[in-house]
Amino acid sequence: MGWDRGFARVKEERKNLSFFKIFQSADLSSESMRAMPYNFMKNVSKKDFHYKMVIRAQWGSSWEVDISKNPSFYYMEKSGWNQFVSDNALGENEFVTFTHKGLMCFNVNIYGKNGKEIVTPRKPQTTTPFSGGIKKEEGESSYRDVKKEDESTGGVELEEEKKKAAESKTSKKKSKSKKVEKGESSRGAVPKKKKAEKEKPSKKKKKIKRKKVKNGVPEFKITITNSYLKFLAIPKMFEEAYIPDESKVYMIHNSEGKGSWEVHCLVRQTRTIFSSGWSRLAREYPLSVGDRCTFHLVKPTEFVLTSKKARE
């Protein structure tokens, strides 16, 4: 049954444009490694193309990558590409397929060195932050480097524990002598009063004062622009007040009961957007440039969308 499902998925994805990357370069962040295949870009329609791609893994994680062009070819910008490589601990002789789902949104399938598909996220890197690509000399993959570092630090930790055990005896003796000194000072000279140190206020997350809402239902309004047909940026004040600090899937319902859509809400430090699934909603709802839309947050992960056409 598992083989049948896998074959059906491959058969379905063959209908979509796709390309692949084999990680055999010494520098995984090189321009040639980040290049978009010419034959692939030639077949992407003008309606589908824009200079920002969204990469989505099977387990729901997403990455935004800017697209640029030099005289010869299109390529992925280093910052977004490096983040994707680092977060998935990709290394030499691993294989990744990129399947275009429309509007520069891609589903990726990652295959390890042994040819087995990776369907759950790998252990995140705890070593130095990613910068300038992962070099071949530094190890076959960042995932293995993490394991090696854990093994190498294990011996050091054992030595430190032995030192601490040896020093614990001397520290106990010192603590006893300090107690005796404190007792003598209390009987003799009056100890100097310590200045009361003002406690520094802890850095707590700034609470956002929520606006009064009609009928107890939070909402935000937005006018559709050309870029908003591809992904929708959620207003900052609404996002800080009502959207949790994690990416998740929201259900958006047509106010007239004409359909519902699952849309991935991508949370980033700079902005929060509706990404995967939004372009399909805009196409099927349908939404047009100039439409005035109101989003009502009826449940923690559900919106009801009402819209008015520009001509109205």
Side-chain angles (χ1 to χ4, degrees):
M1 291 295 291
W3 186 89
D4 291 339
R5 285 196 298 270
F7 179 76
R9 189 191 72 189
V10 172
K11 187 176 180 181
E12 180 65 25
E13 290 188 349
R14 285 189 66 184
K15 299 176 184 177
N16 299 316
L17 286 172
S18 62
F19 64 92
F20 63 87
K21 292 285 182 182
I22 301 175
F23 289 80
Q24 290 183 331
S25 171
D27 185 357
L28 299 184
S29 65
S30 64
E31 193 171 85
S32 60
M33 194 69 194
R34 293 181 284 116
M36 306 286 286
Y38 173 77
N39 287 335
F40 172 83
M41 295 304 299
K42 184 175 67 174
N43 288 291
V44 175
S45 66
K46 290 182 179 180
K47 291 181 180 180
D48 269 338
F49 177 76
H50 60 96
Y51 285 92
K52 187 179 289 292
M53 66 185 289
V54 176
I55 302 172
R56 187 176 185 183
Q58 283 193 53
W59 48 89
S61 299
S62 300
W63 297 264
E64 281 188 6
V65 183
D66 290 326
I67 302 295
S68 296
K69 187 178 187 300
N70 62 22
S72 303
F73 54 85
Y74 289 92
Y75 62 92
M76 293 172 270
E77 283 290 347
K78 186 177 287 187
S79 58
W81 169 257
N82 285 352
Q83 190 66 51
F84 168 67
V85 172
S86 175
D87 288 351
N88 292 288
L90 296 174
E92 190 176 358
N93 292 328
E94 295 189 316
F95 182 91
V96 180
T97 62
F98 297 77
T99 303
H100 186 225
K101 307 304 288 186
L103 297 172
M104 297 304 285
C105 293
F106 294 80
N107 287 350
V108 293
N109 299 96
I110 303 172
Y111 300 86
K113 193 174 180 180
N114 59 358
K116 187 177 179 180
E117 185 175 9
I118 297 165
V119 294
T120 56
R122 284 171 159 172
K123 179 181 177 182
Q125 277 189 290
T126 55
T127 54
T128 53
F130 189 97
S131 59
I134 301 172
K135 300 290 183 179
K136 195 172 183 179
E137 295 82 5
E138 292 174 358
E140 290 187 358
S141 71
S142 52
Y143 182 58
R144 288 186 178 182
D145 289 342
V146 174
K147 285 187 175 180
K148 287 180 180 179
E149 186 173 340
D150 290 341
E151 291 172 1
S152 62
T153 53
V156 177
E157 287 175 358
L158 287 172
E159 290 180 5
E160 287 181 355
E161 286 178 3
K162 288 179 182 178
K163 287 181 181 179
K164 286 180 181 178
E167 291 172 358
S168 63
K169 293 180 181 179
T170 55
S171 63
K172 286 179 181 178
K173 290 180 180 178
K174 288 180 180 179
S175 63
K176 286 182 181 179
S177 62
K178 284 181 181 178
K179 287 180 181 178
V180 173
E181 288 175 4
K182 285 181 180 178
E184 290 175 354
S185 63
S186 62
R187 294 170 193 169
V190 180
K192 293 181 180 179
K193 292 181 180 179
K194 293 183 179 180
K195 293 181 179 179
E197 296 179 358
K198 294 182 180 180
E199 292 184 2
K200 295 181 180 179
S202 58
K203 293 182 180 179
K204 293 183 179 179
K205 190 174 180 182
K206 189 176 180 181
K207 291 184 178 179
I208 306 299
K209 190 174 182 181
R210 298 186 176 184
K211 291 183 177 181
K212 292 182 179 180
V213 293
K214 296 178 181 179
N215 301 321
V217 179
E219 64 179 40
F220 70 89
K221 297 182 180 181
I222 207 155
T223 301
I224 299 297
T225 63
N226 191 39
S227 62
Y228 282 176
L229 295 174
K230 300 171 183 176
F231 60 88
L232 182 76
I234 299 174
K236 192 69 175 176
M237 289 184 68
F238 184 90
E239 175 260 317
E240 289 178 340
Y242 299 105
I243 303 296
D245 294 333
E246 58 177 344
S247 299
K248 58 173 59 180
V249 174
Y250 283 75
M251 182 68 75
I252 301 179
H253 306 281
N254 185 308
S255 61
E256 298 177 1
K258 295 180 179 179
S260 299
W261 297 265
E262 286 188 349
V263 177
H264 189 253
C265 182
L266 190 64
V267 177
R268 290 289 181 264
Q269 289 183 351
T270 53
R271 61 178 178 174
T272 297
I273 64 170
F274 286 145
S275 57
S276 301
W278 171 255
S279 59
R280 180 184 173 187
L281 181 152
R283 184 171 62 252
E284 295 178 356
Y285 192 92
L287 297 176
S288 305
V289 175
D291 288 356
R292 296 187 294 275
C293 296
T294 303
F295 293 80
H296 306 272
L297 185 63
V298 294
K299 290 184 180 180
T301 57
E302 290 188 35
F303 284 95
V304 171
L305 170 60
T306 60
S307 68
K308 291 183 179 180
K309 293 297 179 183
R311 62 177 178 271
E312 295 176 8

